[in-house]
Amino acid sequence: MVDFIRETIILWPVAIPLAAAAFAAALSGRHGLQRVVTLGAVIMTFAASLLLLSIVLSEGMVAKEFGGWRAPFGIVFMADSFSAAMVTIANLLALCAIIFAQTELRPRQIEAGFHPLFQGLMVGVNGAFLTGDIFNLYVWFEVMLITTLGLITLDRTRAQIDGAIKYAILNLISTILFLMAIGLLYGATGTLNMSDLARVLPETQASAALTISAMMFLVAFGIKSGFFPMFFWLPSSYHTASIIVSAVFAGLLTKVGIYALFRVFTLLFDIDDGAYKPLMAFFAAGTMIFGVFGAAVQWDVRRILSFHIISQIGYIMLGLAVATPLALAGAVFYIFHHIIVKANLFFIAGAIWRATGTFDLRQCGGLIKQSPYLTLLFAIPALSLAGIPPLSGFWAKFMMIDASFRGDAGWLAAVALFVGLLTIFSMSKIWLEAFWKNPPRPIHYRPVPVTVTVPIVTLCIITLTIGFAPDALVRFSQRAATDMADRQAFIALFFDDTDIAEVNQ
Amino acid sequence: MSLIYAFSVSALMGVGIYLMLSRHLMRMLFGVVILSTAANLLIFVSGGLQAVAPPIIQGDMNILGETAANPLPQALILTAIVIGFALVAFAAALVLKAYGTIGSVFTDDQNDAERLGSPFYEEGPRNG
């Protein structure tokens, strides 16, 4: 049994939520049972992802070929340290969200299908992290898209319908571009397996089709992850969803896009080749600046945070814009830090709503007297997001900016520092308006339930741990960055020398 | 023959993008449908299009014959059609719901999400 689980470990992060989605759908109408199924599923998925991570760390990459079809003919799953860690952190966030949902979820939202849709989203996210086949990646993106649309419109309010339409149309364009890029790539190389592509692409003659394919991948994943000229769907939809959904979206969805981008431009295309780097630098700088300026004028907590997702995505993009091993390690560190902190801030926005009954900063206030603990809990992720030492955001920004200076991209480092300053402005705005000032009208404060504080405290502790002992995560990020860029390891996963010799004959 | 297909792909993409630039939600949706058709056709063409036999393994053989078409692009397109159908069906339902809730299919009238916390409005509509 133990051997069986170890052997199939890479499948469980997808199989468990898939089964849970089916059960939750079959149990629709029985809220208690659905809740048990979902809670059990997220705990089991988290345990499975931890086991996967430990196996990957001790024994190297894990891979699985489906249905007895050998790569490159069949669909494969593969996990290096980067993807295993992404799966782990995604499922940690899912666990936090489900704990948060215990009291925050309304019966209407459960009836609208929250549980099966949430599990379906986790299927898509974990599948996207683990797949080793580019067309399979497209399928997981579509699974994510259809479940996120259901999750946004849980309450069917006017704002949600409006947000969902913008989300749907722009993301449909992104997936169509992704599909076209796959078609062109297949036409040029004749294979869809990522390891095989890593082997074949360097030997393929450069052609217009390949360049267009790379650009289409860039734009498609750019829309998904919210790059500068293409991010408009994000701040016009994320804030309309219910806060549990917003927190998970904020933590995970854009990061799946970023993950796919890193995979495609480290494993398939050569980032040092051609005009990719200046283009990435343009995207990174624009994303950082426009995200943070967009946040400055907003008054809804969730909208401020949504715009900050965009500016943080710019920091992660610096990793590909500079593309030294140091920068890639910084980007990996940044992704981990960002998922934890950003989801936590959305959870705290939910707690603010719980306490004051509004998300609009103009109408709330006085929380510092009402719940000083919440104020302290807000300070940790907010200061971490802005990059104040000794919190996790400081190390993340430090690694990125250090890498930019060393990688001859001083202007990007300057932009990053400037944007960090503006981030403090936005965070202090939330601080002043929601916690510090007296409310404009008397507010009837409600107590914040313990299931809301548990995930917030957990994520705060992780932020503090990373902040005070960044060593382990820094070393891990360096390893993940090395693994990510190591094409030979990916090729050796499925093809040994004799295979290659046979193909060449 | 590839050239004819290339032109039809570009024509379809042009039509799709033109429709998507409209402010009418249904036109945008039709634009998405046409654009995804163009994507499917593109896969077909780039997968290598020839007038050959269908990819069926003959009774007395174990592998595909030399003249058979490549079955993989066809499988990819089938998958993409199925997924695209589901998404378009959902999007059509969403547009219908938007027409029922907001009372308009023009994007100009749909700014409820934008109003939440916007500095230009005193107070946005209630949400959640």
Side-chain angles (χ1 to χ4, degrees):
Chain A
M1 186 66 192
V2 176
D3 280 348
F4 173 73
I5 289 179
R6 279 182 80 84
E7 201 147 290
T8 55
I9 186 63
I10 195 166
L11 309 179
W12 291 103
V14 175
I16 297 170
L18 194 60
F23 277 119
L27 290 170
S28 88
R30 309 180 66 175
H31 298 181
L33 280 174
Q34 276 190 325
R35 182 175 292 187
V36 173
V37 167
T38 320
L39 194 59
V42 286
I43 292 171
M44 275 158 59
T45 321
F46 182 51
S49 56
L50 276 180
L51 187 59
L52 173 66
L53 182 64
S54 74
I55 290 177
V56 168
L57 284 183
S58 59
E59 292 164 25
M61 277 200 253
V62 179
K64 197 88 194 154
E65 291 163 332
F66 285 102
W69 289 88
R70 294 201 57 195
F73 303 109
I75 289 172
V76 296
F77 265 22
M78 61 187 188
D80 65 340
S81 48
F82 183 37
S83 50
M86 291 300 281
V87 171
T88 310
I89 205 152
N91 288 296
L92 172 70
L93 182 54
L95 181 59
C96 287
I98 289 298
I99 294 172
F100 190 91
Q102 293 303 313
T103 50
E104 294 306 282
L105 209 56
R106 273 165 281 172
R108 249 194 76 140
Q109 293 173 329
I110 300 179
E111 267 152 41
F114 172 81
H115 290 296
L117 286 171
F118 184 83
Q119 294 297 334
L121 176 67
M122 291 319 292
V123 173
V125 169
N126 292 340
F129 285 145
L130 291 175
T131 188
D133 184 281
I134 195 91
F135 190 79
N136 199 230
L137 183 66
Y138 162 78
V139 175
W140 294 123
F141 266 77
E142 297 286 30
V143 171
M144 278 192 319
L145 178 56
I146 196 92
T147 49
T148 46
L149 284 172
L151 283 171
I152 288 184
T153 51
L154 270 186
D155 300 309
R156 296 171 176 68
T157 57
R158 285 170 67 110
Q160 287 188 350
I161 303 276
D162 179 20
I165 284 177
K166 273 144 200 163
Y167 186 95
I169 300 287
L170 283 168
N171 278 281
L172 276 170
I173 298 176
S174 149
T175 51
I176 290 171
L177 285 173
F178 186 10
L179 188 61
M180 287 182 173
I182 292 173
L184 290 173
L185 191 62
Y186 179 74
T189 60
T191 178
L192 293 166
N193 182 297
M194 289 195 212
S195 304
D196 201 25
L197 282 168
R199 184 162 65 98
V200 173
L201 267 177
E203 291 157 19
T204 313
Q205 202 182 1
S207 63
L210 268 184
T211 313
I212 293 171
S213 169
M215 287 301 143
M216 278 180 162
F217 275 120
L218 180 59
V219 175
F221 295 142
I223 294 176
K224 282 277 172 200
S225 38
F227 285 178
F228 150 52
M230 306 171 279
F231 64 71
F232 298 101
W233 57 273
L234 196 155
S236 59
S237 61
Y238 271 25
H239 65 294
T240 61
S242 104
I243 197 73
I244 311 156
V245 175
S246 296
V248 175
F249 284 12
L252 295 183
L253 290 192
T254 45
K255 260 55 73 182
V256 181
I258 283 279
Y259 168 85
L261 198 72
F262 272 73
R263 267 277 175 273
V264 165
F265 280 93
T266 54
L267 191 56
L268 310 190
F269 299 104
D270 196 357
I271 186 78
D272 291 321
D273 178 33
Y276 298 137
K277 267 188 182 175
L279 206 58
M280 298 275 184
F282 166 75
F283 280 140
T287 313
M288 280 192 278
I289 292 174
F290 285 88
V292 85
F293 275 124
V297 297
Q298 300 295 335
W299 286 102
D300 190 305
V301 191
R302 298 166 299 174
R303 269 207 115 181
I304 295 179
L305 295 177
S306 299
F307 272 107
H308 273 290
I309 300 175
I310 296 161
S311 93
Q312 305 291 310
I313 289 290
Y315 280 97
I316 301 172
M317 277 306 296
L318 277 182
L320 274 182
V322 179
T324 55
L326 201 62
L328 285 180
V332 173
F333 189 99
Y334 210 106
I335 292 176
F336 295 149
H337 140 77
H338 177 67
I339 291 179
I340 301 277
V341 163
K342 183 55 74 179
N344 200 5
L345 282 169
F346 268 90
F347 284 142
I348 288 167
I352 292 176
W353 182 81
R354 195 27 114 149
T356 63
T358 178
F359 284 114
D360 196 318
L361 287 177
R362 287 168 291 196
Q363 278 144 37
C364 57
L367 275 173
I368 195 161
K369 285 185 206 139
Q370 280 303 317
S371 48
Y373 294 113
L374 188 62
T375 316
L376 184 67
L377 288 177
F378 170 75
I380 295 169
L383 294 178
S384 176
L385 190 76
I388 305 290
L391 295 160
S392 62
F394 169 71
W395 301 110
K397 283 202 169 65
F398 177 77
M399 283 173 82
M400 288 319 312
I401 290 167
D402 183 41
S404 307
F405 275 124
R406 283 170 202 254
D408 285 335
W411 69 279
L412 280 174
V415 171
L417 286 169
F418 174 65
V419 169
L421 209 61
L422 288 173
T423 311
I424 302 181
F425 166 72
S426 275
M427 289 302 122
S428 54
K429 179 172 170 181
I430 300 180
W431 170 272
L432 288 174
E433 298 285 335
F435 294 95
W436 194 263
K437 78 161 194 247
N438 286 322
R441 271 168 261 168
I443 295 175
H444 172 63
Y445 294 100
R446 294 175 296 176
V448 178
V450 68
T451 49
V452 171
T453 26
V454 165
I456 296 177
V457 171
T458 313
L459 295 178
C460 277
I461 291 172
I462 297 175
T463 309
L464 286 173
T465 316
I466 299 176
F468 284 106
D471 231 31
L473 190 59
V474 169
R475 244 177 293 138
F476 175 81
S477 309
Q478 280 163 349
R479 174 168 172 190
T482 328
D483 281 0
M484 183 178 14
D486 186 2
R487 290 175 177 211
Q488 293 313 318
F490 280 97
I491 296 170
L493 205 52
F494 298 109
F495 310 100
D496 46 30
D497 293 338
T498 51
D499 279 353
I500 295 170
E502 273 170 37
V503 172
N504 286 344
Q505 270 166 15
Chain B
M1 193 159 71
S2 284
L3 201 62
I4 301 171
Y5 276 94
F7 277 119
S8 43
V9 168
S10 62
L12 281 174
M13 286 195 75
V15 171
I17 289 170
Y18 174 75
L19 281 174
M20 289 191 111
L21 295 176
S22 161
R23 277 176 294 182
H24 194 295
L25 282 181
M26 277 321 281
R27 280 170 164 248
M28 283 159 72
L29 194 59
F30 289 141
V32 171
V33 175
I34 293 176
L35 210 58
S36 66
T37 312
N40 291 342
L41 210 54
L42 180 79
I43 299 179
F44 223 2
V45 180
S46 70
L49 204 61
Q50 293 158 319
V52 284
I56 297 170
I57 298 173
Q58 301 299 326
D60 52 343
M61 288 169 76
N62 286 327
I63 51 166
L64 277 177
E66 283 290 308
T67 55
N70 184 355
L72 192 66
Q74 302 183 11
L76 299 186
I77 292 167
L78 269 179
T79 317
I81 288 175
V82 173
I83 294 174
F85 174 73
L87 280 170
V88 167
F90 183 91
L94 194 63
V95 171
L96 185 65
K97 184 79 186 165
Y99 180 62
T101 317
I102 302 169
S104 165
V105 284
F106 291 98
T107 46
D108 292 1
D109 302 325
Q110 299 178 342
N111 52 10
D112 289 89
E114 212 64 32
R115 289 172 70 120
L116 288 173
S118 158
F120 306 110
Y121 298 96
E122 242 336 275
E123 196 174 338
R126 278 194 65 77
N127 180 54

